[in-house]
Amino acid sequence: INAEYMGTLQYLTDLGLDADQIRTFVAKRPVALFFGPTSRLKPSVDFFRSLGVTDLPAAIAANPKAFSNDVQTVRSVVQQLQALGLEAAQVGNMLVTHPALIHRKWAPLIELLSELDVPNIGKLVAEHPTLLLLNVEAQVWPVIEALATSGVKDIGQHIAENPDILCEQAVEIAADKHSVRHNSHCT
Protein backbone atom coordinates (compact mmCIF):
# COMPACT_ATOMS: atom_id res chain seq x y z
CA ILE A 1 0.00 0.00 0.00
CA ASN A 2 1.54 3.30 -1.04
CA ALA A 3 1.99 6.39 1.12
CA GLU A 4 -0.60 8.49 -0.75
CA TYR A 5 -3.24 5.83 -0.19
CA MET A 6 -2.50 5.60 3.53
CA GLY A 7 -2.26 9.38 3.85
CA THR A 8 -5.69 9.82 2.28
CA LEU A 9 -7.24 7.20 4.53
CA GLN A 10 -5.69 8.85 7.58
CA TYR A 11 -6.91 12.29 6.44
CA LEU A 12 -10.46 10.96 5.99
CA THR A 13 -10.31 9.45 9.47
CA ASP A 14 -9.01 12.73 10.90
CA LEU A 15 -11.92 14.56 9.27
CA GLY A 16 -14.31 12.33 11.20
CA LEU A 17 -15.40 9.83 8.58
CA ASP A 18 -16.29 6.50 10.13
CA ALA A 19 -15.34 3.15 8.61
CA ASP A 20 -18.60 2.87 6.64
CA GLN A 21 -18.21 6.37 5.22
CA ILE A 22 -14.63 5.62 4.19
CA ARG A 23 -15.75 2.41 2.48
CA THR A 24 -18.43 4.39 0.64
CA PHE A 25 -15.86 7.01 -0.38
CA VAL A 26 -13.44 4.37 -1.68
CA ALA A 27 -16.21 2.51 -3.54
CA LYS A 28 -17.40 5.71 -5.27
CA ARG A 29 -14.04 7.34 -6.00
CA PRO A 30 -11.14 4.89 -5.58
CA VAL A 31 -8.82 6.98 -7.73
CA ALA A 32 -8.93 9.77 -5.14
CA LEU A 33 -6.92 7.60 -2.76
CA PHE A 34 -3.90 7.69 -5.02
CA PHE A 35 -3.66 11.48 -5.27
CA GLY A 36 -2.80 11.82 -1.61
CA PRO A 37 -4.72 14.12 0.71
CA THR A 38 -2.84 17.35 -0.03
CA SER A 39 -3.17 17.48 -3.83
CA ARG A 40 -6.96 17.95 -4.17
CA LEU A 41 -8.85 16.50 -1.24
CA LYS A 42 -7.61 18.77 1.55
CA PRO A 43 -7.78 22.00 -0.50
CA SER A 44 -11.31 21.07 -1.61
CA VAL A 45 -12.41 20.23 1.92
CA ASP A 46 -10.96 23.51 3.20
CA PHE A 47 -12.70 25.45 0.42
CA PHE A 48 -16.10 23.82 0.98
CA ARG A 49 -15.68 24.36 4.72
CA SER A 50 -15.04 28.07 4.04
CA LEU A 51 -18.33 28.17 2.10
CA GLY A 52 -20.18 26.89 5.14
CA VAL A 53 -20.83 23.32 4.06
CA THR A 54 -21.95 21.43 7.12
CA ASP A 55 -21.46 17.76 7.95
CA LEU A 56 -18.39 17.38 5.77
CA PRO A 57 -17.88 13.68 6.61
CA ALA A 58 -21.34 12.80 5.26
CA ALA A 59 -20.86 15.08 2.24
CA ILE A 60 -17.47 13.57 1.40
CA ALA A 61 -18.79 10.02 1.67
CA ALA A 62 -21.93 10.75 -0.34
CA ASN A 63 -20.27 12.69 -3.18
CA PRO A 64 -16.49 12.28 -3.21
CA LYS A 65 -16.37 13.58 -6.78
CA ALA A 66 -17.19 17.07 -5.53
CA PHE A 67 -14.01 16.98 -3.44
CA SER A 68 -11.81 15.76 -6.31
CA ASN A 69 -11.91 18.98 -8.30
CA ASP A 70 -9.35 21.71 -8.62
CA VAL A 71 -10.27 24.48 -6.16
CA GLN A 72 -9.86 27.21 -8.80
CA THR A 73 -12.47 25.51 -10.98
CA VAL A 74 -14.88 25.24 -8.07
CA ARG A 75 -14.20 28.83 -7.02
CA SER A 76 -15.13 30.05 -10.51
CA VAL A 77 -18.44 28.16 -10.39
CA VAL A 78 -19.15 29.52 -6.91
CA GLN A 79 -18.60 33.08 -8.15
CA GLN A 80 -20.94 32.53 -11.10
CA LEU A 81 -23.69 31.17 -8.86
CA GLN A 82 -23.19 33.93 -6.31
CA ALA A 83 -23.63 36.44 -9.14
CA LEU A 84 -27.18 35.05 -9.42
CA GLY A 85 -27.77 35.99 -5.79
CA LEU A 86 -27.06 32.70 -4.06
CA GLU A 87 -25.29 32.70 -0.72
CA ALA A 88 -21.96 30.91 -0.27
CA ALA A 89 -23.45 28.15 1.90
CA GLN A 90 -26.25 27.55 -0.63
CA VAL A 91 -23.72 27.22 -3.43
CA GLY A 92 -21.41 24.98 -1.43
CA ASN A 93 -24.18 22.62 -0.44
CA MET A 94 -25.55 22.66 -4.01
CA LEU A 95 -22.17 21.68 -5.48
CA VAL A 96 -21.56 18.99 -2.89
CA THR A 97 -24.99 17.49 -3.59
CA HIS A 98 -24.75 17.91 -7.39
CA PRO A 99 -21.04 17.79 -8.30
CA ALA A 100 -21.87 17.53 -12.02
CA LEU A 101 -22.69 21.27 -11.86
CA ILE A 102 -18.99 22.00 -11.43
CA HIS A 103 -18.15 21.06 -15.01
CA ARG A 104 -21.47 21.71 -16.74
CA LYS A 105 -21.77 24.68 -19.09
CA TRP A 106 -25.02 26.18 -17.81
CA ALA A 107 -24.55 29.82 -18.85
CA PRO A 108 -26.73 29.33 -21.97
CA LEU A 109 -29.63 28.25 -19.77
CA ILE A 110 -29.23 31.27 -17.50
CA GLU A 111 -29.12 33.55 -20.55
CA LEU A 112 -32.27 31.95 -21.96
CA LEU A 113 -34.12 32.24 -18.65
CA SER A 114 -33.10 35.88 -18.50
CA GLU A 115 -34.32 36.50 -22.06
CA LEU A 116 -37.65 34.93 -21.11
CA ASP A 117 -37.87 37.34 -18.14
CA VAL A 118 -37.99 34.52 -15.60
CA PRO A 119 -38.12 36.37 -12.28
CA ASN A 120 -35.57 35.62 -9.56
CA ILE A 121 -33.41 33.14 -11.46
CA GLY A 122 -31.13 32.75 -8.43
CA LYS A 123 -33.99 31.55 -6.24
CA LEU A 124 -35.16 29.21 -9.00
CA VAL A 125 -31.68 27.70 -9.31
CA ALA A 126 -31.27 27.41 -5.53
CA GLU A 127 -34.56 25.51 -5.24
CA HIS A 128 -34.07 23.42 -8.40
CA PRO A 129 -30.32 23.05 -9.00
CA THR A 130 -30.70 20.14 -11.41
CA LEU A 131 -32.25 22.55 -13.91
CA LEU A 132 -28.66 23.59 -14.55
CA LEU A 133 -27.95 20.10 -15.86
CA LEU A 134 -30.46 20.43 -18.69
CA ASN A 135 -29.30 20.75 -22.27
CA VAL A 136 -30.78 23.94 -23.70
CA GLU A 137 -30.97 22.77 -27.31
CA ALA A 138 -32.13 19.21 -26.72
CA GLN A 139 -34.32 19.63 -23.65
CA VAL A 140 -35.30 23.22 -22.92
CA TRP A 141 -35.99 24.75 -26.34
CA PRO A 142 -38.47 22.03 -27.37
CA VAL A 143 -40.42 22.66 -24.15
CA ILE A 144 -40.44 26.41 -24.68
CA GLU A 145 -41.64 25.96 -28.25
CA ALA A 146 -44.35 23.57 -27.07
CA LEU A 147 -45.49 26.07 -24.43
CA ALA A 148 -45.67 28.83 -27.03
CA THR A 149 -47.58 26.56 -29.42
CA SER A 150 -49.95 25.64 -26.60
CA GLY A 151 -50.81 29.30 -26.09
CA VAL A 152 -48.89 30.05 -22.89
CA LYS A 153 -48.47 33.83 -22.93
CA ASP A 154 -45.91 34.62 -20.22
CA ILE A 155 -43.52 31.69 -20.55
CA GLY A 156 -40.99 33.20 -18.14
CA GLN A 157 -43.54 33.54 -15.35
CA HIS A 158 -44.89 30.07 -16.15
CA ILE A 159 -41.40 28.62 -15.76
CA ALA A 160 -40.89 30.49 -12.47
CA GLU A 161 -44.14 29.07 -11.10
CA ASN A 162 -43.64 25.58 -12.57
CA PRO A 163 -39.90 25.00 -13.04
CA ASP A 164 -40.34 21.26 -13.46
CA ILE A 165 -42.01 22.01 -16.78
CA LEU A 166 -38.50 22.28 -18.24
CA CYS A 167 -38.05 18.60 -17.49
CA GLU A 168 -41.16 17.61 -19.38
CA GLN A 169 -41.14 16.19 -22.84
CA ALA A 170 -42.36 18.69 -25.41
CA VAL A 171 -44.65 15.98 -26.81
CA GLU A 172 -46.48 15.72 -23.46
CA ILE A 173 -47.02 19.48 -23.38
CA ALA A 174 -48.33 19.72 -26.92
CA ALA A 175 -50.68 16.76 -26.41
CA ASP A 176 -52.87 18.64 -23.96
CA LYS A 177 -52.98 22.37 -24.68
CA HIS A 178 -55.15 23.18 -21.67
CA SER A 179 -53.40 21.19 -18.99
CA VAL A 180 -49.66 20.81 -18.81
CA ARG A 181 -48.52 17.95 -16.59
CA HIS A 182 -45.69 18.65 -14.17
CA ASN A 183 -43.33 15.99 -12.87
CA SER A 184 -40.76 16.51 -10.16
CA HIS A 185 -38.07 14.28 -11.68
CA CYS A 186 -36.00 17.38 -12.36
CA THR A 187 -35.44 18.41 -8.76
Side-chain angles (χ1 to χ4, degrees), residues 25 34 37 44 49 55 68 71 96 98 119 121 123 125 132 136 142 146 152 155 160 163 166 182:
F25 175 90
F34 298 100
S44 289
R49 182 180 287 133
D55 198 3
S68 301
V71 171
V96 166
H98 305 287
I121 295 171
K123 181 180 180 207
V125 167
L132 295 176
V136 171
V152 175
I155 293 173
L166 294 177
H182 303 286

Side-chain angles (χ1 to χ4, degrees), residues 43-53 56 71 75 78 88-89 92:
S44 289
V45 167
D46 291 345
F47 183 68
F48 279 109
R49 182 180 287 133
S50 76
L51 294 175
V53 173
L56 281 167
V71 171
R75 185 182 319 276
V78 168

Side-chain angles (χ1 to χ4, degrees), residues 2 4-6 8-9 12 21-36 41 60-61 63-65 68:
N2 69 28
E4 288 83 12
Y5 182 89
M6 293 305 296
T8 300
L9 290 176
L12 293 171
Q21 289 173 318
I22 291 174
R23 275 192 286 284
T24 300
F25 175 90
V26 172
K28 289 183 176 183
R29 196 79 172 153
V31 70
L33 293 175
F34 298 100
F35 294 135
L41 186 58
I60 293 167
N63 290 302
K65 189 173 183 178
S68 301

Side-chain angles (χ1 to χ4, degrees), residues 113 116 118-120 123-125 127-128 131 134 140 143-144 147 152-169 173 178-187:
L113 295 176
L116 292 170
V118 173
N120 204 345
K123 181 180 180 207
L124 180 73
V125 167
E127 293 174 358
H128 304 276
L131 290 175
L134 297 174
V140 179
V143 170
I144 290 170
L147 288 171
V152 175
K153 298 290 182 220
D154 189 349
I155 293 173
Q157 186 62 40
H158 189 79
I159 290 170
E161 294 170 1
N162 307 289
D164 291 338
I165 190 70
L166 294 177
C167 300
E168 293 288 332
Q169 296 295 318
I173 296 167
H178 302 290
S179 173
V180 178
R181 291 183 295 276
H182 303 286
N183 294 335
S184 60
H185 66 275
C186 192
T187 56

Side-chain angles (χ1 to χ4, degrees), residues 61-73:
N63 290 302
K65 189 173 183 178
F67 296 88
S68 301
N69 292 287
D70 174 66
V71 171
Q72 293 307 321
T73 301

